Amino acid sequence: MTVSQQIFTKEEQHKPQKSGAIRTAKLAQRVIMIIIGSAMMSVALEIFLVPNSLIDGGITGISIMLSHLFDIPLGILLTLLNLPFLVIGYKQIGKTFALSTLFAVVLMSIGTYLLHPVNPITVEPLLAAVFGGVILGVGVGLVVRYGGSLDGTEIVAILVSKKLPFSVGEVVMFFNLFILSGAGFVFGWNNAMFSLIAYYIAFKLIDVTLEGLDQSKSVWIISDKFRDIGEALTERLGRGVTYLDGEGGFSGDEKKVIFVVITRLEEAKLKTIVEDWDSDAFVAIGNIHDVKGGRFKKKSIH
């Protein structure tokens, strides 16, 4: 049995059947939102940032600099440089995330190719940084919100944070400051500072689009099907869960509360898992600024 067959089998074992119409509607919604997000990313890059020699952070920023230095189409670099991280994402987060990310990256690459001949809306670096950052942030936020990603930096940061005493956010910030500093040598320091403005705006807009999501999320779930949901989270998401005893303040009934800590890239899949078992389950999600120690390490889902 192959790895993909093992994952498929485990997901099917812990996934109740839903009506075809509902599943089709949710899949269509995910596809449409990823298409919109990828298109916005392409517009931000080719209509605002790249023509003004501005970059974004992460793999996208590296791709922009390499495209400028070696005259390689940006779309090709975006696809090739993100491929290794798709493999990592497949192993660490799951098949759905990897496929969604592959779909988003390919769309973004095609979009940058098609928009490359289009004239930029503005040649004023500050305006390009502001509007490019806004469009980019919303686009990336939409893709992440619906279960994918447009950059491999966060996946690497999740792995590095498990080995070093730094949070995911700190690792991402370090990577991007290093990349943005490199822009100073390639495009000049004025453009590097404008790129930093675009990156900061995009970073904030991602959080706004994701309704305040941070790198890690604490989740409390109350449901009569707590055992089924807990086992599904462990098998399909690879996260360990904790069962807490609770009591209804109004009814006085005893309740079981599921507690689990996830990354923001896993939130969309967690909601799908819970809704598959109990659409009326109570789900509360909170921000965690840092996670250290304990048993937060992700279990294998292979």
Side-chain angles (χ1 to χ4, degrees), residues 63-170:
S63 299
I64 293 172
M65 288 189 286
L66 291 178
S67 176
H68 173 79
L69 291 173
F70 300 104
D71 196 27
I72 301 173
L74 178 60
I76 294 177
L77 289 171
L78 288 171
T79 302
L80 292 179
L81 294 182
N82 274 295
L83 281 178
F85 303 106
L86 287 174
V87 177
I88 297 174
Y90 178 86
K91 293 180 178 179
Q92 295 296 319
I93 301 176
K95 178 176 63 177
T96 302
F97 169 79
L99 291 176
S100 298
T101 300
L102 176 61
F103 180 56
V105 170
V106 170
L107 286 177
M108 177 181 62
S109 300
I110 294 173
T112 57
Y113 174 78
L114 295 176
L115 291 173
H116 186 69
V118 179
N119 293 326
I121 292 178
T122 178
V123 292
E124 172 59 44
L126 181 58
L127 290 176
V130 172
F131 286 94
V134 169
I135 297 172
L136 188 148
V138 174
V140 173
L142 283 175
V143 173
V144 173
R145 183 174 179 178
Y146 285 90
S149 179
L150 284 168
D151 194 282
T153 307
E154 284 192 341
I155 301 172
V156 176
I158 292 171
L159 299 178
V160 172
S161 67
K162 294 179 181 179
K163 305 295 183 180
L164 299 176
F166 299 105
S167 68
V168 174
E170 290 170 340

Side-chain angles (χ1 to χ4, degrees), residues 28-45:
Q29 182 187 40
R30 168 176 287 187
V31 170
I32 291 172
M33 290 298 105
I34 290 178
I35 290 174
I36 294 174
S38 302
M40 294 182 70
M41 179 77 164
S42 301
V43 170
L45 291 176

